[in-house]
Amino acid sequence: EKSYIGSTAMFLFTFITTLIAVFYYNITFTTLVLVVLLFISFISVLIEGVTPKGVDNLTVPFVAAFIYWFIFLL
């Protein structure tokens, strides 16, 4: 069962994790980067909310990593 508190925590920790990745890869932090990180976090919460229990542990990291890779590293 999904909760608002769990979804909020998911959003915050995804944002923090992607923020750390931006600094690790020396990507210049701009407003556009901030918007993209918020987008990745939001999509991750949506994916987590619609996938069945247990499968979200695989789908969320793959989707977030793919979006991050597609936007920043491609």
Side-chain angles (χ1 to χ4, degrees):
E1 188 173 309
K2 313 289 180 170
S3 69
Y4 292 110
I5 295 171
S7 296
T8 303
M10 173 74 184
F11 181 85
L12 290 175
F13 283 108
T14 303
F15 179 75
I16 291 168
T17 303
T18 53
L19 187 63
I20 290 169
V22 163
F23 288 119
Y24 177 79
Y25 288 111
N26 292 324
I27 297 171
T28 305
F29 191 77
T30 63
T31 305
L32 180 61
V33 171
L34 178 65
V35 169
V36 169
L37 296 182
L38 291 171
F39 173 74
I40 291 171
S41 301
F42 180 72
I43 295 298
S44 296
V45 169
L46 289 179
I47 295 298
E48 192 259 341
V50 298
T51 54
K53 186 174 183 159
V55 180
D56 58 350
N57 291 332
L58 296 172
T59 58
V60 171
F62 285 125
V63 169
F66 177 77
I67 294 170
Y68 182 88
W69 171 80
F70 187 77
I71 292 173
F72 289 118
L73 302 177
L74 190 64

